[in-house]
């Protein structure tokens, strides 16, 4: 068994996607490692076993679950340490004073009356052993009662919990004892329970010997899920594990890890840690000081991050998320497409199966302009969104529906005649209405008897030159791609290796580098094209358990009405999108609210403008909070003695005597105001709200992205 079933798509052939992006002489399968990467060289694999056995309790959305210790849902009353110790000392002194007064008889002998009532007359003999025992036991009992009373009064229990051995053990946890075999994940109890005992023994031996890594464990777990769901047989899985061990069910690239990991990942929960939730009063108590992590359960509702240049969008958000999804792809659990400017630092080439460098003649792969479809109407709709999607509002005559009709009138006849879609120069000539190409297309249709398509071509020719015709606008947009830098790209003749987003049925890792330098408009158009193809492709996938994610490092000029509708549909398709923007001004004003509403995870980084902060403040809404109003009122003395005391107090303190009045009331306030988002978020921090695919959500959290 060579796969877990996720890449056994329809139409599998001898040269399937994904193909390794490296040179052909690189071997498909790396040599067998002697130990797991990132693990100290321990011969018995103790580090891997410790990682695998670490508790991962259920937690609120966004909490880093690896080794997490849940906190109370409500913040307990917190007393300052100095006040706590001073109160404990005072309580002890009070208890000592009471005991001294009782012992020395200054309070009388009433407290000894219960003792006299307990001792029989026969014990009242000099030096009676029984009487001595009872008397001293009574003294101890009274002392304990006083001790318990002053202990409660002085909060000695709180001091013990906060500073005693219990706190030391929490600060320096020791190694936990190994769990029972039936609860030990390193023994693969699920396989044993299903009868695959030999496979479980082989995997457990690989884990103990240090030959297994986190990606191997996640990949084999995913393959076992395929067995349980019936996608492939138990016999094939067992055979693969017994023959290959931890290297069973490999990704088609043969890779078992990523080179040069930078972020902190936990493939058991699928999370990647981005930072630490700040210990701030505005954060819920249960979140303060916990790790902040994202996974497919949160990315499935899509993420929008807004922050100025230099705020860390690429380094602290895009790069870790791309790295995490690439690891998920190696485990057979995800497909990822990362789009950004060339040289943006989106990960090494070796971390991807397909790297498309648009405009770079050394690029191994090309980008399919039509998304791999053979349906002219579908190709026209996606291409129209890319060409004029950002012009739909300011130019009513260039809306996507009319552009789709114009493109369909040309793509359908051209494919019927040539068996393919037109290249960029051919499409530009057809949209310009050049007589030669249109006449040749007409002749080809007449020769093949395509009367219905002739009517489409007739309609296109009638619209040429009319004031409302959008063909000229489309031709101008296509001209952005008809440049010498792109001469070797978007080929439709079969001479290149085009990548199509139809390959998202496989756990493929794709990076698309856009030529923003010198071709900014073309790059934005290509980014819209990739987004449109992505939303169209994931909606028709058969296996939606394979999470698909598109990461756009810069979504400037990409957000259109159709793009917002597509993002809204991703959640039900088992997919998500990550979009970053420098400012919401890069999105048309009518689309800002719908965009924020379509994404379940929203992040505002430090340096946000007040007008951008206002949009976030509106979407995050308000909450009821407790407001305290403190009023100081001057005390006026009416008697001579009182005036003298007040004068003496003013001389000593320098202030007039006042009486303080505190009013507590419930008010409704914004969770984060526009001013706080613009000026109250420290550098390296962000405010992030979360929603997972099950509907659980977290309020806006102040997060330190440097932690």
């Amino acid at each position: 068994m060579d796969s877990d079933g996720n890449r056994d798509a329809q139409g599998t052939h001898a040269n399937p996607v994904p193909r390794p992006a490296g040179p052909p002489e690189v071997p498909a399968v790396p040599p067998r490692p002697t130990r797991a990467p990132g693990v100290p060289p321990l011969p018995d694999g103790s580090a891997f076993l410790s990682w695998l056995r670490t508790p991962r309790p259920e937690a609120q959305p966004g909490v880093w679950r690896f080794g997490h210790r849940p906190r109370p849902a409500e913040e307990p009353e917190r007393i300052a340490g100095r006040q706590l110790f001073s109160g404990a000392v005072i309580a002890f002194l009070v208890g000592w004073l009471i005991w001294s007064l009782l012992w020395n008889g200054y309070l009388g002998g009433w407290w000894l009356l219960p003792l006299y009532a307990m001792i029989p007359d026969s014990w009242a003999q000099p030096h009676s052993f029984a009487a001595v025992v009872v008397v001293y036991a009574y003294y101890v009992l009274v002392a304990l009662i006083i001790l318990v009373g002053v202990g409660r009064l002085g909060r000695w229990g709180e001091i013990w919990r906060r500073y005693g051995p219990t706190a030391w053990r929490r600060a320096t946890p020791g190694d936990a004892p190994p769990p029972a075999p039936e609860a030990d994940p390193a023994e693969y109890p699920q396989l044993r329970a299903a009868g695959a005992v030999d496979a479980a023994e082989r995997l457990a031996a690989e884990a103990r010997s240090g030959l297994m890594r986190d990606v191997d464990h996640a990949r084999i777990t995913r393959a076992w899920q395929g067995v349980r769901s019936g996608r492939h047989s138990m016999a094939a899985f067992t055979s693969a594990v017994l023959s290959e061990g931890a290297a069973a069910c490999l990704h088609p690239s043969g890779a078992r890890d990523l080179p040069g990991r930078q972020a902190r990942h936990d493939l058991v929960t699928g999370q990647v840690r981005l930072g630490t939730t700040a210990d701030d009063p505005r954060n819920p108590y249960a979140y303060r000081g916990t790790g902040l992590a994202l996974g497919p359960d949160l990315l499935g509702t899509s993420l929008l991050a807004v922050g100025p240049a230099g705020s860390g969008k690429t380094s602290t958000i895009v790069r870790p998320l791309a790295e995490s999804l690439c690891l998920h792809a190696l485990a057979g659990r995800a497909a990822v497409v990362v789009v950004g400017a060339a040289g943006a630092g989106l990960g090494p080439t070796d971390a991807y199966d397909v790297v498309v460098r648009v405009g770079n003649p050394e690029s191994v792969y090309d980008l399919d302009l039509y998304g791999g479809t053979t349906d002219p109407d579908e190709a026209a709709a996606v291409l129209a969104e890319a060409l004029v999607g950002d012009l739909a509002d300011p130019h009513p005559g260039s809306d996507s529906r009319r552009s789709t009709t114009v493109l369909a009138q040309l793509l359908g006849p051209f494919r019927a005649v040539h068996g393919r879609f037109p290249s960029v120069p051919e499409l530009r000539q057809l949209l310009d209405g050049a007589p030669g190409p249109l006449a040749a297309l007409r002749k080809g249709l007449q020769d093949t008897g395509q009367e219905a398509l002739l009517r489409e071509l007739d309609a296109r020719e009638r619209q040429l030159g009319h004031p409302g015709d959008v063909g000229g606008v489309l031709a101008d947009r296509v001209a952005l791609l008809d440049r010498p830098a792109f001469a070797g790209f978007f080929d439709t003749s079969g001479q290149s290796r085009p990548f199509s987003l139809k390959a998202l049925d496989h756990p493929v890792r794709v990076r698309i580098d856009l030529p923003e330098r010198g071709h900014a408009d073309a790059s934005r158009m290509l980014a819209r094209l990739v987004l449109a193809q992505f939303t169209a492709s994931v909606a028709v996938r058969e296996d939606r358990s394979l999470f698909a994610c598109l990461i756009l490092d810069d979504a400037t000029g990409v957000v259109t009405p159709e793009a917002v509708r597509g993002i809204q549909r991703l959640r039900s398709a088992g997919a998500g999108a990550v979009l970053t923007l420098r400012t919401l001004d890069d999105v048309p004003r009518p689309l800002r609210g719908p965009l924020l509403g379509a994404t379940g995870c929203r992040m505002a980084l430090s340096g946000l403008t007040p007008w951008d902060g206002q949009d976030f403040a509106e979407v995050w809404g308000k909450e009821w909070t407790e407001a305290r109003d403190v009023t100081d009122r001057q005390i006026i003395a009416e008697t001579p003695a009182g005036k003298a005391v007040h004068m003496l107090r003013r001389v000593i303190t320098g202030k007039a005597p006042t009486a303080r009045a505190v009013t507590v009331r419930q008010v409704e306030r914004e969770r984060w105001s526009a001013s706080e988002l613009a000026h109250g978020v420290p550098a390296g921090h962000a405010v992030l709200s979360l929603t997972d695919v099950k509907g659980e959500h977290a309020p806006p959290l102040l997060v330190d992205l440097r932690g």
Side-chain angles (χ1 to χ4, degrees), residues 73-87:
E74 297 181 0
E75 181 179 8
E77 182 182 2
R78 184 76 176 181
I79 303 173
R82 180 177 179 182
Q83 180 181 352
L84 199 63
F85 278 104
S86 61

Side-chain angles (χ1 to χ4, degrees), residues 348-530:
T349 301
D350 294 342
Y352 296 91
D353 304 305
V354 176
V355 178
V356 181
R357 299 184 176 95
V358 181
N360 188 336
E362 297 180 358
S363 178
V364 177
Y365 288 89
D366 191 1
L367 183 64
D368 193 331
L369 196 63
Y370 301 98
T373 183
T374 58
D375 183 0
D377 293 329
E378 181 182 350
V382 173
L383 190 56
E385 170 66 14
L387 294 178
V388 298
D390 59 334
L391 300 179
D393 289 333
H395 297 276
S398 301
D399 61 273
S400 295
R401 291 188 299 273
R402 301 178 71 178
S403 301
T404 301
T405 302
V406 170
L407 288 170
Q409 290 171 344
L410 296 173
L411 296 182
F414 192 95
R415 180 170 180 81
V417 173
H418 299 280
R420 60 177 177 85
F421 288 122
S423 63
V424 169
E426 291 170 335
L427 181 60
R428 180 183 180 184
Q429 290 178 346
L430 292 173
L431 290 171
D432 274 332
L438 288 176
L441 188 57
R442 174 178 293 278
K443 184 178 184 304
L445 293 174
Q446 291 173 346
D447 293 342
T448 57
Q450 302 281 349
E451 297 295 334
L453 295 178
L454 273 173
R455 289 194 295 270
E456 293 282 334
L457 193 59
D458 290 339
R460 174 85 288 269
E461 290 179 340
R462 285 196 303 270
Q463 295 169 4
L464 288 173
H466 287 193
D469 182 35
V470 299
V473 176
L474 293 173
D476 291 341
R477 283 308 182 94
V478 173
L480 295 174
L481 302 180
D482 191 16
R483 307 297 301 166
F486 308 131
F489 285 85
F490 318 117
D491 180 68
T492 60
S493 63
Q495 301 300 317
S496 64
R497 302 175 68 184
F499 169 76
S500 167
L501 269 73
K502 293 291 184 181
L504 295 181
D505 277 329
H506 307 269
V508 63
R509 303 167 294 165
V510 184
R511 194 185 79 195
I512 301 176
D513 294 342
L514 300 178
E516 288 192 356
R517 185 174 181 179
H519 301 279
D521 291 337
S523 295
R524 286 192 289 269
M525 189 166 61
L526 292 174
R528 285 196 303 274
L529 176 66
V530 173

Side-chain angles (χ1 to χ4, degrees), residues 262 314-316 318-320 322 338 340-348 352 511 513 553:
Q262 294 185 357
T314 300
S315 60
T316 61
V318 173
R319 176 67 184 270
V338 183
L346 302 178
Y352 296 91
R511 194 185 79 195
D513 294 342
D553 187 38

Side-chain angles (χ1 to χ4, degrees), residues 21-41:
E25 61 271 11
V26 176
V29 180
R32 188 177 183 86
T34 57
R35 62 183 180 89
V39 177

Side-chain angles (χ1 to χ4, degrees), residues 125-256:
Q125 301 295 330
H127 308 293
S128 173
F129 177 77
V132 171
V133 171
V134 172
V135 168
Y136 279 99
Y138 182 76
Y139 290 163
V140 171
L141 177 63
V142 173
L144 287 176
I145 292 174
I146 296 175
L147 190 66
V148 171
V150 299
R152 289 182 175 273
L153 182 65
R155 297 186 177 91
W156 292 359
E158 176 66 18
I159 293 178
W160 179 264
R161 288 188 297 271
R162 193 182 300 185
Y163 303 103
T166 304
W168 304 342
R169 287 194 295 269
R170 284 199 302 265
T172 58
D175 294 334
E182 61 273 9
D184 188 357
E187 296 294 332
Y188 294 90
Q190 301 90 347
L191 275 67
R192 297 178 186 274
V197 179
D198 293 340
E201 291 288 349
R202 175 65 188 274
L203 294 175
E206 297 272 298
R208 289 190 294 268
S209 62
L211 296 178
M212 183 174 287
R213 61 195 79 188
D214 54 355
V215 178
D216 297 330
H217 177 77
R219 187 184 65 252
I220 292 172
T221 302
R222 169 69 177 179
W224 176 248
Q225 293 173 355
V227 173
R228 303 298 293 175
S229 63
R231 287 197 299 268
H232 45 261
S233 66
M234 171 83 76
F237 172 82
T238 304
S239 175
V241 171
L242 291 178
S243 61
E244 301 293 338
C249 312
L250 276 179
H251 185 266
S253 66
R256 295 175 61 187

